[in-house]
């Protein structure tokens, strides 16, 4: 019992281990389904709580009966053989009906929640097309004419409907505090509808194994109040600002078009590529690499220079090489606010 000796020698550690389960219930947990912030996730959380109490009730009843039987009918020296019970109609009806009733109490709210979270939003809902790619997320707002990636901006207190599909293989949309999980399947549209009244930033990630960088397929959802959201929309709809003649940004754009970048990425008015994320406003995002790294000059340089080194399997080949001005490309990308 090495562990026992060790703990006996370190009483403080032993006590702190007892505290671990209690500490595990304290935040912050950015991806906890138990801290819901939308009608969708509140419905799931409510169902979970409901079933938890039923499960606890069944546990207590069964264990109490078991303990009672063990103690009351245990073998005692000289006690007669216990008399087996056979054909007790009331008891048999009882233990058939009680579980059936409990299952009804679980099934009714479960089915209600399944329909409530099936993805039907009112016609006034804001529609966003969510397209899964290995390994990033594309977001298109058809009614607003916006295409962006990995960071989903949504207005507070407004029903939204996400139409989910995939460009390659099956992914799964999961933002635990807002909604999901729901699969994104090639050639088929699935839906999630929700409404959040809590402005904030919510983390999510792909929840269906989709290859080497599955764990790196993350996303962020920004629930914003009306004016912040409208300001974001206005910025996203505006074109890229023209670069000053002779500036590093202008050189960066020339590098972007002169090298392979333009073939995979769209920048409105500059290039049209669909393999990689739309970069028209990449400078306004908080992260790069599908939520993996902060959108800073240093990380962006490392990313453009050698993305697969930072994210295994990333399809963008390393761009660093003779005659490639990474600094200029990065300055240009950062100017795309
Ligand atoms: Cu996409 Cu896992």
């Amino acid at each position: 019992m090495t562990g026992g000796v060790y703990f006996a020698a370190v009483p403080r550690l032993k006590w702190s281990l007892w505290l671990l389960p209690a500490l595990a219930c304290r935040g912050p947990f950015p991806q906890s389904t138990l801290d819901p912030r939308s009608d969708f996730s509140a419905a799931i959380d409510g169902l979970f709580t409901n079933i938890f109490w039923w499960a606890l009730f069944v546990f207590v009843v069964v264990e109490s009966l078991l303990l009672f039987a063990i103690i009351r009918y245990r073998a005692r020296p000289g006690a007669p053989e216990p008399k087996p019970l056979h054909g007790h109609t009331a008891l048999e009806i009882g233990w058939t009906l009680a579980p059936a009733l409990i299952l009804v109490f679980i099934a009714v709210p479960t089915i209600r929640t399944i329909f409530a979270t099936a993805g039907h939003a009112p016609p006034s809902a804001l529609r966003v097309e969510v397209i899964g790619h290995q390994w990033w997320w594309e977001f298109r707002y058809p009614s607003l004419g916006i295409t962006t990636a990995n960071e989903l901006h949504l207005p507070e207190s407004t029903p939204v409907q996400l139409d989910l599909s995939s460009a390659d293989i099956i992914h799964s949309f999961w933002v635990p505090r807002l909604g999901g999980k729901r699969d994104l399947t090639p050639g088929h549209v699935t839906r999630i509808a929700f409404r959040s009244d809590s402005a904030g930033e919510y983390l999510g990630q792909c929840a269906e194994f989709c290859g080497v960088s599955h764990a790196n397929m993350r996303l962020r959802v920004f629930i914003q109040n009306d004016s912040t959201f409208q300001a974001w929309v206005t910025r996203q709809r505006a074109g890229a600002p023209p670069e000053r003649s002779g500036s590093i940004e202008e050189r960066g754009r020339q590098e972007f078009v002169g090298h392979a970048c333009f073939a995979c990425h769209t920048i409105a008015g500059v290039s049209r590529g669909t393999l990689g994320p739309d970069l028209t406003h990449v400078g306004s995002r908080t992260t790069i690499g599908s939520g993996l790294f902060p959108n800073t000059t240093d990380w962006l340089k490392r990313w453009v220079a050698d993305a697969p080194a930072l994210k295994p399997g990333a399809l963008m080949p390393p761009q660093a090489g003779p005659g490639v001005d990474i600094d200029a490309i990065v300055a240009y990308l950062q100017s795309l606010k």
Side-chain angles (χ1 to χ4, degrees):
M1 288 295 285
T2 326
V5 171
Y6 181 71
F7 286 139
V10 196
R12 266 183 208 206
L13 176 64
K14 193 175 168 182
W15 276 110
S16 62
L17 281 179
W18 277 105
L19 281 172
L20 269 183
L23 289 174
C25 297
R26 299 174 68 87
F29 296 113
Q31 298 204 113
S32 172
T33 51
L34 302 179
D35 191 9
R37 286 292 187 276
S38 79
D39 52 357
F40 184 118
S41 50
I44 301 284
D45 186 58
L47 184 64
F48 171 81
T49 309
N50 185 338
I51 293 176
F52 171 81
W53 287 116
W54 277 114
L56 187 68
F57 170 72
V58 170
F59 176 81
V60 168
V61 169
V62 170
E63 294 305 308
S64 306
L65 289 174
L66 187 65
L67 284 176
F68 171 75
I70 288 171
I71 294 164
R72 173 78 175 74
Y73 299 106
R74 72 186 187 279
R76 294 184 178 84
E81 282 281 299
K83 202 160 66 69
L85 194 70
H86 183 73
H88 194 300
T89 314
L91 205 56
E92 283 174 11
I93 290 175
W95 73 45
T96 306
L97 270 187
L101 266 181
I102 292 175
L103 286 182
V104 168
F105 288 136
I106 289 175
V108 169
T110 300
I111 292 167
R112 201 183 288 149
T113 308
I114 288 173
F115 280 96
T117 57
H120 307 296
S124 63
L126 172 67
R127 259 189 63 222
V128 183
E129 294 170 2
V130 178
I131 301 155
H133 296 259
Q134 283 174 312
W135 291 270
W136 57 281
W137 304 86
E138 182 175 355
F139 302 119
R140 294 185 192 158
Y141 301 67
S143 58
L144 302 173
I146 293 172
T147 300
T148 184
N150 303 323
E151 297 189 353
L152 178 61
H153 291 249
L154 297 172
E156 181 186 33
S157 308
T158 305
V160 294
Q161 178 170 306
L162 309 183
D163 296 338
L164 313 167
S165 63
S166 170
D168 36 50
I169 61 172
I170 299 177
H171 304 275
S172 177
F173 180 92
W174 194 33
V175 183
R177 296 177 72 193
L178 296 178
K181 312 163 178 169
R182 190 142 299 156
D183 280 2
L184 296 83
T185 314
H188 177 71
V189 176
T190 48
R191 294 195 165 80
I192 285 184
F194 63 81
R195 172 198 150 122
S196 174
D197 297 337
S198 309
E201 181 181 340
Y202 302 98
L203 302 185
Q205 65 183 77
C206 180
E208 177 78 50
F209 182 69
C210 56
V212 63
S213 261
H214 156 68
N216 299 325
M217 187 170 165
R218 304 182 196 166
L219 72 145
R220 274 172 165 69
V221 182
F222 297 90
I223 303 288
Q224 298 174 311
N225 66 37
D226 215 41
S227 59
T228 313
F229 179 73
Q230 286 310 328
W232 178 81
V233 168
T234 307
R235 245 187 357 263
Q236 297 293 308
R237 295 177 68 158
E243 309 89 30
R244 271 185 305 106
S245 175
S247 66
I248 187 172
E249 289 83 9
E250 186 188 46
R251 207 164 68 244
R253 178 173 53 74
Q254 288 157 357
E255 289 275 318
F256 183 91
V257 180
H259 294 288
C261 318
F262 77 96
C264 297
H265 294 286
T266 291
I267 291 180
V270 175
S271 64
R272 287 197 60 83
T274 52
L275 275 181
D278 187 305
L279 299 179
T280 306
H281 293 283
V282 66
S284 70
R285 293 180 205 146
T286 65
T287 57
I288 56 167
S290 199
L292 282 185
F293 309 105
N295 191 2
T296 60
T297 309
D298 186 44
W299 279 109
L300 204 50
K301 279 183 192 169
R302 291 175 64 181
W303 179 258
V304 174
D306 192 354
L310 298 179
K311 184 174 174 183
L315 290 181
M316 182 166 77
Q319 301 298 316
V324 182
D325 191 344
I326 300 274
D327 289 0
I329 295 176
V330 166
Y332 171 58
L333 293 177
Q334 287 187 309
S335 74
L336 302 173
K337 296 283 186 194

